[in-house]
């Protein structure tokens, strides 16, 4: 799917979020990356094969 030189990381690689966006819809909270990954604003992902990656945003730590 990716036509960039050098090619973007594949959907299976650990750094898949580094791929270039093909479409951005911030009003809807998602972007389509050139490797076929749907990246959501909460850091969740939908991979091209249908697998779901749960959001992995760092937790906020508050002072006690």
């Amino acid at each position: 799917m990716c036509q960039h030189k050098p090619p973007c990381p594949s959907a299976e690689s650990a750094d898949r979020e580094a791929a270039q966006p093909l479409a951005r819809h911030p009003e809807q909270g998602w972007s389509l990356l050139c490797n076929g990954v749907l990246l959501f604003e909460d850091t969740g992902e939908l991979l091209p094969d249908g697998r779901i990656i749960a959001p992995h945003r760092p937790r906020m730590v508050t002072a006690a």
Side-chain angles (χ1 to χ4, degrees):
M1 188 177 227
C2 179
Q3 302 297 318
H4 298 106
K5 300 293 181 203
C8 290
S10 72
E12 289 76 32
S13 69
D15 60 345
R16 66 183 149 259
E17 294 175 17
Q20 296 291 319
L22 291 179
R24 292 182 180 171
H25 293 279
E27 73 282 358
Q28 296 176 358
W30 61 270
S31 296
L32 174 63
L33 305 181
C34 70
N35 56 8
V37 172
L38 275 173
L39 179 62
F40 296 96
E41 69 179 14
D42 68 355
T43 69
E45 301 169 23
L46 179 60
L47 303 184
D49 64 5
R51 287 183 290 150
I52 297 169
I53 306 297
H56 45 277
R57 179 183 293 158
R59 289 185 164 198
M60 300 246 334
V61 178
T62 57

